[in-house]
């Protein structure tokens, strides 16, 4: 076979191979290979492992990562703070029931890791802020205003803990030594609270259909949601957290939506 005919056969063979590869790629192209292709993932995604809480009807509520590499959670009706290792081993630390308005105890609610290496939590029925060390030593600090029903708690940019007093419309600040200061903001039910990228504290006003902002000095402003979610009580914003984009993200209980608010 001369070189000319050999090149002709080789060209034809390569052309056929390229055509076959092209047809195969069209039939098996991944979703991301084409602009505008939509992929949906059912929830929950991934593998879920459940770990039962030792006390029946303890009603675990909130959970946070601790400085000891474990997870710490509140048991509202169990009146306990729980600690769970990543492998699932649980230890519970009971709270005293004295001076609590609920027959089930002080109703520990939200919990967060503090700047002092301890865990801090709100006691809804106890009208107190609790602190627990990673070894389980507990200290409680009373909130000056009675029946405040504290809910959310977070670490502020000033190194203190900040919390929302749902029933009386205050935002509270507590130092790691236990000194409490309260700022009245709104009677619209402050609930969740978080630190923003702007150095302020941001919180939800669950009955005010608004997001609130308070400076570390106590200056308050509110920002109404654009809709009421078709509900006479509004969208009922509850949980709130700072996002990696510098904005605040929050849940709308009555709206089945996630909201975003800028800090600037």
């Amino acid at each position: 076979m001369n070189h000319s005919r050999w090149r002709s056969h080789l060209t034809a063979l390569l052309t056929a191979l390229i055509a076959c590869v092209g047809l195969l790629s069209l039939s098996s192209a991944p979703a991301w290979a084409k602009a505008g292709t939509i992929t949906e993932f059912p929830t929950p995604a991934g593998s879920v492992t459940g770990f039962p809480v030792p006390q029946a009807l303890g009603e675990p509520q909130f959970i946070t990562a601790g400085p000891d590499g474990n997870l710490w959670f509140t048991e509202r009706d169990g009146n306990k703070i729980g600690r769970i290792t990543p492998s699932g081993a649980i230890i519970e630390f009971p709270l005293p029931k004295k001076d609590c308005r609920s027959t089930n105890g002080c109703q520990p609610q939200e919990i967060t890791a503090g700047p002092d290496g301890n865990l801090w939590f709100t006691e809804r029925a106890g009208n107190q802020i609790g602190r627990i060390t990673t070894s389980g030593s507990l200290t409680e600090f009373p909130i000056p205003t009675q029946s405040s029903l504290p809910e959310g708690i977070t670490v502020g940019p000033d190194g203190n803990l900040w919390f929302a007093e749902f029933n009386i419309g205050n935002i509270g600040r507590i130092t790691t030594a236990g000194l409490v200061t309260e700022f009245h903001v709104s009677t619209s039910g402050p609930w969740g609270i978080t630190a923003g990228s702007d150095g302020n504290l941001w919180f939800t006003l669950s009955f005010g259909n608004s997001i609130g902002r308070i400076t570390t000095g106590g200056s308050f402003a509110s920002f109404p949601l654009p809709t009421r979610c078709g509900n006479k009580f509004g969208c009922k914003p509850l949980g709130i957290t700072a996002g990696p984009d510098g904005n605040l993200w929050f849940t709308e209980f009555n709206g089945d939506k996630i909201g975003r608010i800028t800090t600037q």
Side-chain angles (χ1 to χ4, degrees):
M1 180 182 297
N2 60 37
H3 289 293
S4 177
R5 293 186 63 188
W6 181 84
R7 283 196 298 270
S8 177
H9 280 289
L10 181 60
T11 300
L13 178 60
L14 288 173
T15 301
L17 285 173
I18 291 170
C20 289
V21 170
L23 289 172
L24 181 61
S25 65
L26 286 174
S27 64
S28 60
W32 45 260
K34 193 174 177 182
T37 300
I38 297 173
T39 305
E40 296 174 302
F41 301 94
T43 57
S47 176
V48 177
T49 304
F51 301 97
V53 175
Q55 178 176 334
L57 303 178
E59 292 200 5
Q61 293 284 305
F62 293 90
I63 190 167
T64 192
D68 56 350
N70 297 314
L71 290 305
W72 291 75
F73 59 95
T74 56
E75 294 182 53
R76 191 186 71 175
D77 285 353
N79 199 48
K80 295 175 181 176
I81 301 299
R83 182 184 69 199
I84 183 170
T85 67
S87 60
I90 295 176
I91 295 179
E92 297 171 305
F93 303 94
L95 276 61
K97 288 187 177 182
K98 61 180 178 60
D99 302 325
C100 290
R101 295 168 52 249
S102 169
T103 56
N104 292 328
C106 294
Q107 292 186 333
Q109 193 75 351
E110 290 205 30
I111 187 169
T112 191
D116 56 351
N118 298 315
L119 289 304
W120 291 76
F121 56 93
T122 55
E123 295 183 16
R124 197 173 193 273
N127 205 59
Q128 301 177 115
I129 302 299
R131 181 185 68 198
I132 189 169
T133 68
T134 54
S135 60
S137 178
L138 176 71
T139 307
E140 294 170 306
F141 305 96
I143 296 171
T145 304
Q146 295 299 308
S147 303
S148 69
L149 298 186
E151 293 285 351
I153 188 168
T154 193
V155 177
D158 56 354
N160 298 311
L161 287 301
W162 290 75
F163 56 95
E165 300 177 55
F166 169 77
N167 197 44
I168 57 172
N170 285 352
I171 295 297
R173 180 185 67 202
I174 183 170
T175 68
T176 54
L179 178 63
V180 177
T181 305
E182 296 173 291
F183 304 93
H184 184 72
V185 290
S186 171
T187 55
S188 298
W191 191 285
I193 187 168
T194 192
S197 59
D198 59 344
N200 298 314
L201 287 304
W202 292 76
F203 53 93
T204 54
L205 290 167
S206 58
F207 292 142
N209 202 51
S210 302
I211 302 299
R213 181 188 67 198
I214 188 170
T215 68
T216 54
S219 179
F220 164 70
S222 65
F223 306 88
L225 274 60
T227 71
R228 298 191 66 84
C229 299
N231 191 298
K232 66 178 181 179
F233 299 109
C235 298
K236 198 176 182 180
L238 292 179
I240 187 168
T241 192
D245 57 352
N247 297 315
L248 288 305
W249 295 76
F250 56 93
T251 59
E252 297 180 22
F253 182 82
N254 287 340
D256 289 326
K257 293 186 288 188
I258 300 298
R260 181 187 66 198
I261 185 170
T262 62
T263 59
Q264 302 296 329

